[in-house]
Amino acid sequence: MSEHRRKPPQPQGGGRAAARRGQSGPSSGRRAPRGATGSPSDYGLGQVSGSPEQSYSGRADARRAAQRSTGGRRRGAEPGGSFGGLNGPGRGRSAPGRKRLIDYPRADKYGWQRWMPSWKLVAGLFIGFVGSLVAVAGIGYAMVTVPDVNKTATAQNNVYYWKDGSQMVATGGETNRQNIDLSQIPEEMRYAVISQENKTFYEDSGIDPKGIARALFNMARGGQTQGGSTITQQYVKNAMLNDQSQTISRKFKEIFVAIKVGAEVDKNTIMAGYLNSAYYGRTDYGIQAAARGYFGKDAIKLNPGECAFLAAMLKGATYYDPAGATSIDPVNATPEKNSRRALLQMQDTLDKMVEYGHLDASVRAKYTKLPTVKNPRSNTQLSGQIGYLVDLANGYLVTHSKETGITQNQLQQGGFSVYTTFDKEKVQQLEDAVTKVQKANIKPKERPDTDTHVQFGGASVEPDTGAIRAIYGGEDATKHFTDNADETGAQVGSTFKPFVLAAAMTWGVRDPDLGSSQAQDERTIVSPESLFSGKNKLKIQDYNRTVWKNEKGEEWLQTNDGNESYGSAPDFKIDLREAMRESVNSAFVQLGMDVGLDKVKDSAVSAGLRESSLAGTTFPSFSIGISDPSAIRMAGSYATFAASGKQRDPYSVEKVTSEKGQIFTHKDEAKQAFTSKVADNVTDVLKTVVERGTGTNAQLPGREVAGKTGTTDGNKSAWFVGYTPQLSTAISMFRLDDNEKNKNRTFLEMFGTGGQKKIHGASFPAQIWHDYMAEALEGTQAKDFPEPEPIGEVVNAAPSATPTPTATEEAEPSPTPTATQTQTLPSPTATATCGNFFECNNGGTSNGNSNGGSDGSSSPTPTATETDSTRGNQNGGLFGGSDG
């Protein structure tokens, strides 16, 4: 550094010379001598407003001072100069006379106004944005081509494999399709679709901006896009089946194609192409295939009602096909619910056809009921149990699409290799066991009044994995549509009692001396040796020992099967082990009240039953099985006890591959539903049922077996559910008139069926269970259940005496109440269309199955109050209940 830069600055003197020097600056073109002054103005930095003039030792000090006065280099870097003040007043603004391409922030404004864009800037950006969109649209329009729908609506087979890797069946590629000319399509079909989906079809440009915006918005939120809102858009969607990815780029491509098709393709061609390529459900693509598949006739012969019906199928046959799709959605896609939806949609379409002038009102008046449709199965490869197995696997893939990544539409297009959990030998062994009992005992020709409409269902689940190894869905999947393993609506009766016991061991009974809120917290865990009354016609009490009454003030007197009391007078106390062994209703109904029916419900759900398959908890009979879960779910829930409390949802697919490689693999997701102490004690109690109780017919020599019989009030269904450590199996039997002409699915009594006075869970169901399990477990090592740890406390007083001996099977149903015992039966509401009161529930209305539930009736679903009232009075009533 030169010597003069280290000299202290000289104070400025007065006089003219000094004034001249002060006036001369950088703009004068004359450079001031170094060190002449310490003022920032000597370096072109200007005088800091409001601060006294300072002197500096050199350039570095001056620069630092300038930076301090302007907020540092970062601020100085703003437009307007290196140090924010070089080129004009105020920091960060451009020098006078110097213009920027985009004046933002605005140089001539101060404060907040500086950050408000000018109208010129806004207008310019808007014009640029619109211009860009036009350019992109033009390029997009030029790049897409009009698709040929005839080349795209094809499907490949899906190949299904057994557990051992051998092929079960290849199916799905037998897409039923035949193109026909527009002249062969009835005008009523065209106008049915136009009236329901796109009334301006012949006038619009082919796209619906609102529908497009809605689809894009849904995609942005991560949801599924909705189908094209216009017929043209749907036609394009059908033509682009080879690309069904849910992406923004694909949606934009679809939009451009729809615009081009709308501009270049004749409307009649679009209409014919759409009706010939649309999917109508089952395996039917195109109107000709649908006409033959549903009605067995050519499309040209369809009447207006049938046309309106097929237009409803275009909305999604899963929820409109009267045959139902319970493997996809067992709660909402039942035959009854689908039939109601299809009828409402069909009627709405016909009304709109009249409104828009496409159909005469007098013609429309002829079609007020659903047309009769054909059997949905025609593929002989799906006969026997194969069709049920394929449906179950497909249903699993679609209902778990978040995990599998496979949608219903993708599954229809095929190309997947599906490796199932089904054991070929066990499936055959289960079918053989049912067939053996059925042929030997069920003779509809000899006993038409008692042996017609008899059906069986069954399922076998592996406790350690949750894998479904076998099911029995019915005699033949091509003749009997409903999978009896997956949903029936048949109540489970006393096979529900283990969930009551598990609840008592998990949460305990409430203290009758405490208030309701305190009693919820202070409970006593129950031991299997706890004592409850086995008295017939027991007056049921709430936990606080007040007599329970329904909404009409009627007391509940719980009967046992055969009107038999257990235990010795006067208190008839028996322990819970014996109550389970002899299936004593009164003891478990009172236990459920002491624990709380909400806890009993929680116990059943924790074990693996779907909440939608459970009845309401308003009535005490909830504890003795007025709910109707499926065989799959019952086997799965008992498997939870077999696995020492670890619950796994039953599943049917191990993995899926495609040309892209492996796209899905099942992951074991077990959760501890009950402690091992609770589960093992339930198992120990259920062992006594098989060893010396109502389930002795299920004994397997050399193996430990736990299980429970179940028979419902009215003898309309009977069950046996049991398990070993390796396998859990549920067998159901019922009479159900569910042919195509009967839309009410009426459950019938089984008194005299099979030549027996009454069907018990201990009879045919237990026999089938035994025959199947003996074969299924042959060659496997026998295992013992874990030794249970002591649990809980013995509640209630000691028994009076040795219990009276009882029969090992359930006996007669409860007799008709005497005059002094007769209850006042509530009438069904206007919305619950039952024939007579006692047919309202067992006659067909049910609310659940393994994967959700079935409505079981074509009448509207009852309200919660109606359902509970109906179930309670039928299945327990004041004197009734499900039998053991």
Side-chain angles (χ1 to χ4, degrees):
M1 183 179 294
S2 61
E3 188 66 25
H4 75 273
R5 293 182 66 180
R6 290 196 296 269
K7 292 180 181 180
Q10 299 298 319
Q12 289 189 11
R16 292 179 183 175
R20 282 196 301 272
R21 287 194 298 272
Q23 292 170 356
S24 64
S27 60
S28 67
R30 299 174 59 188
R31 184 164 183 162
R34 287 187 180 180
T37 176
S39 172
S41 62
D42 288 339
Y43 302 96
L45 299 173
Q47 180 71 36
V48 178
S49 176
S51 62
E53 194 173 288
Q54 300 181 33
S55 60
Y56 302 94
S57 61
R59 257 183 214 174
D61 289 341
R63 186 164 58 251
R64 283 193 292 272
Q67 291 171 1
R68 283 194 298 272
S69 68
T70 60
R73 288 184 182 272
R74 183 169 296 181
R75 280 195 227 163
E78 292 178 6
S82 299
F83 299 103
L86 282 169
N87 298 316
R91 291 185 303 233
R93 286 182 289 280
S94 301
R98 183 177 177 184
K99 294 185 178 181
R100 295 175 293 171
L101 179 63
I102 299 178
D103 184 23
Y104 191 82
R106 300 170 71 181
D108 58 342
K109 301 293 181 182
Y110 299 89
W112 64 270
Q113 291 180 323
R114 185 174 174 226
W115 302 100
M116 291 294 293
S118 66
W119 68 269
K120 293 181 179 178
L121 178 61
V122 173
L125 290 175
F126 176 76
I127 293 172
F129 176 72
V130 172
S132 299
L133 287 182
V134 172
V136 170
I139 295 171
Y141 185 91
M143 291 181 65
V144 299
T145 58
V146 175
D148 184 353
V149 72
N150 297 323
K151 295 180 180 179
T152 55
T154 60
Q156 302 177 60
N157 273 333
N158 293 317
V159 183
Y160 299 82
Y161 296 90
W162 295 103
K163 170 181 174 289
D164 63 5
S166 61
Q167 183 172 316
M168 178 197 304
V169 67
T171 185
E174 63 282 350
T175 299
N176 187 16
R177 182 180 177 190
Q178 179 184 351
N179 287 347
I180 56 176
D181 188 74
L182 186 67
S183 63
Q184 298 300 305
I185 301 175
E187 282 192 354
E188 289 86 354
M189 186 66 213
R190 299 176 237 165
Y191 287 125
V193 174
I194 289 173
S195 299
Q196 189 59 251
E197 300 185 26
N198 186 191
K199 65 178 181 180
T200 61
F201 168 70
Y202 282 108
E203 292 81 33
D204 62 37
S205 62
I207 62 169
D208 175 16
K210 291 183 179 179
I212 293 171
R214 184 170 57 248
L216 294 175
F217 177 72
N218 287 341
M219 245 191 304
R221 295 172 57 194
Q224 294 287 316
T225 62
Q226 297 180 358
S229 297
T230 69
I231 290 174
T232 302
Q233 286 176 264
Q234 294 179 58
Y235 165 83
V236 169
K237 189 176 180 68
N238 293 342
M240 296 173 64
L241 281 173
N242 60 329
D243 180 11
Q244 288 296 302
S245 57
Q246 296 292 329
T247 62
I248 295 289
S249 61
R250 193 207 67 85
K251 195 65 183 177
F252 272 116
K253 181 179 179 181
E254 183 182 307
I255 292 170
F256 288 133
V257 173
I259 293 172
K260 198 160 194 172
V261 168
E264 299 181 9
V265 181
D266 178 73
K267 289 287 187 177
N268 285 335
T269 303
I270 294 173
M271 173 62 73
Y274 171 59
L275 292 177
N276 276 321
S277 63
Y279 181 62
Y280 294 80
R282 303 182 178 183
T283 60
D284 301 332
Y285 282 85
I287 184 63
Q288 176 69 1
R292 298 210 63 82
Y294 283 94
F295 305 116
K297 62 172 70 173
D298 291 330
I300 192 63
K301 297 180 180 179
L302 293 172
N303 63 45
E306 291 166 342
C307 291
F309 170 87
L310 290 178
M313 296 304 104
L314 293 173
K315 295 183 69 67
T318 296
Y319 295 102
Y320 289 90
D321 186 347
T326 52
S327 63
I328 303 298
D329 187 346
V331 179
N332 298 306
T334 63
E336 296 73 28
K337 291 184 178 180
N338 280 14
S339 295
R340 285 202 299 272
R341 273 190 289 264
L343 179 60
L344 289 173
Q345 185 69 21
M346 170 186 163
Q347 297 302 305
D348 182 63
T349 299
L350 290 169
D351 289 340
K352 287 180 177 177
M353 291 172 71
V354 174
E355 179 183 350
Y356 302 145
H358 302 313
L359 185 66
D360 189 85
S362 61
V363 176
R364 183 261 176 272
K366 299 177 182 178
Y367 305 102
T368 58
K369 296 181 180 180
L370 277 179
T372 301
V373 298
K374 292 177 60 180
N375 183 327
R377 294 189 188 276
S378 58
N379 186 350
T380 56
Q381 294 185 88
L382 301 178
S383 61
Q385 300 304 305
I386 300 298
Y388 301 125
L389 297 172
V390 169
D391 282 350
L392 196 60
N394 287 345
Y396 180 84
L397 293 175
V398 174
T399 55
H400 294 77
S401 60
K402 288 185 178 180
E403 293 81 25
T404 65
I406 300 173
T407 64
Q408 177 70 29
N409 190 59
Q410 290 170 328
L411 191 63
Q412 290 164 3
Q413 291 306 298
F416 298 106
S417 294
V418 182
Y419 294 83
T420 74
T421 62
F422 307 131
D423 187 309
K424 184 176 182 179
E425 290 186 359
K426 288 183 173 61
V427 170
Q428 188 62 55
Q429 288 160 351
L430 182 53
E431 184 175 21
D432 290 344
V434 173
T435 302
K436 176 183 173 183
V437 168
Q438 192 168 28
K439 286 185 176 180
N441 301 281
I442 310 303
K443 303 182 183 301
K445 292 182 179 180
E446 295 180 16
R447 295 183 290 266
D449 294 336
T450 60
D451 286 20
T452 55
H453 307 300
V454 175
Q455 297 186 34
F456 295 90
S460 201
V461 174
E462 198 170 73
D464 289 342
T465 63
I468 302 171
R469 295 306 182 199
I471 64 167
Y472 180 82
E475 291 186 46
D476 190 324
T478 62
K479 299 176 182 177
H480 175 75
F481 311 150
T482 303
D483 182 355
N484 289 345
D486 200 20
E487 67 93 15
T488 60
Q491 295 178 358
V492 296
S494 291
T495 58
F496 198 81
K497 288 174 181 173
F499 306 125
V500 185
L501 180 60
M505 292 179 176
T506 301
W507 288 283
V509 295
R510 294 170 286 184
D511 189 332
D513 298 325
L514 299 178
S516 58
S517 59
Q518 189 178 0
Q520 289 288 350
D521 299 326
E522 299 185 25
R523 292 169 172 265
T524 302
I525 300 300
V526 172
S527 162
E529 282 66 48
S530 296
L531 304 166
F532 284 81
S533 176
K535 182 181 179 181
N536 184 52
K537 296 181 182 177
L538 177 67
K539 186 177 290 186
I540 298 301
Q541 300 175 333
D542 209 335
Y543 84 94
N544 59 8
R545 297 300 172 254
T546 59
V547 176
W548 188 91
K549 296 180 180 179
N550 64 15
E551 70 277 2
K552 295 187 175 183
E554 299 163 334
E555 296 179 351
W556 189 284
L557 302 179
Q558 182 59 55
T559 62
N560 293 323
D561 187 33
N563 277 327
E564 186 169 2
S565 292
Y566 294 79
S568 299
D571 50 13
F572 297 97
K573 290 292 180 66
I574 59 172
D575 64 42
L576 291 176
R577 187 180 298 273
E578 182 186 357
M580 185 73 77
R581 186 173 71 238
E582 302 301 337
S583 204
V584 181
N585 290 338
S586 56
F588 279 95
V589 169
Q590 187 58 62
L591 176 62
M593 298 300 289
D594 292 351
V595 174
L597 298 182
D598 59 330
K599 299 300 184 185
V600 174
K601 181 178 182 179
D602 290 345
S603 173
V605 172
S606 295
L609 299 188
R610 291 194 181 277
E611 187 173 353
S612 55
S613 71
L614 301 179
T617 57
T618 307
F619 285 85
S621 57
F622 177 76
S623 294
I624 50 176
I626 61 175
S627 300
D628 49 22
S630 73
I632 291 175
R633 284 286 161 175
M634 287 300 290
S637 63
Y638 273 47
T640 300
F641 298 129
S644 293
K646 290 184 179 179
Q647 190 271 330
R648 296 173 173 87
D649 276 345
Y651 72 100
S652 56
V653 178
E654 291 285 3
K655 66 177 181 178
V656 180
T657 63
S658 71
E659 61 182 8
K660 299 178 181 179
Q662 190 156 313
I663 59 176
F664 166 73
T665 302
H666 173 78
K667 296 179 181 179
D668 183 20
E669 296 181 354
K671 57 185 178 183
Q672 197 71 38
F674 306 106
T675 64
S676 59
K677 183 184 291 188
V678 169
D680 293 343
N681 271 277
V682 171
T683 294
D684 191 58
V685 171
L686 294 181
K687 281 172 59 180
T688 65
V689 175
V690 177
E691 292 170 353
R692 56 184 185 278
T694 59
T696 55
N697 284 344
Q699 291 177 357
L700 297 174
R703 294 185 184 273
E704 289 191 347
V705 175
K708 184 70 186 76
T709 56
T711 308
T712 57
D713 185 59
N715 202 209
K716 295 180 179 180
S717 61
W719 291 72
F720 185 81
V721 187
Y723 54 95
T724 67
Q726 298 105 316
L727 205 57
S728 176
T729 300
I731 302 295
S732 65
M733 177 181 177
F734 48 91
R735 289 183 69 207
L736 176 59
D737 185 4
D738 62 349
N739 61 52
E740 296 179 9
K741 296 181 180 179
N742 183 8
K743 301 299 183 181
N744 293 322
R745 291 173 56 84
T746 305
F747 282 87
L748 307 173
E749 294 179 343
M750 293 191 291
F751 297 113
T753 297
Q756 298 195 3
K757 192 173 183 179
K758 177 181 179 180
I759 298 298
H760 307 90
S763 57
F764 296 146
Q767 183 180 341
I768 292 171
W769 189 96
H770 169 273
D771 293 349
Y772 160 68
M773 290 289 280
E775 292 290 327
L777 295 172
E778 185 177 3
T780 63
Q781 183 179 359
K783 293 184 179 181
D784 293 338
F785 292 113
E787 192 68 27
E789 298 179 34
I791 190 172
E793 301 178 20
V794 177
V795 301
N796 299 326
S800 301
T802 303
T804 57
T806 60
T808 58
E809 282 193 356
E810 299 102 336
E812 291 291 331
S814 306
T816 304
T818 63
T820 58
Q821 298 168 332
T822 303
Q823 63 171 326
T824 303
L825 301 177
S827 300
T829 64
T831 58
T833 55
C834 307
N836 59 59
F837 180 76
F838 287 102
E839 290 297 323
C840 209
N841 182 48
N842 282 332
T845 303
S846 57
N847 73 344
N849 62 60
S850 73
N851 292 313
S854 74
D855 184 39
S857 170
S858 60
S859 61
T861 305
T863 63
T865 302
E866 292 165 347
T867 302
D868 290 340
S869 176
T870 301
R871 290 181 182 275
N873 284 295
Q874 283 192 108
N875 301 281
L878 296 180
F879 307 100
S882 59
D883 309 326

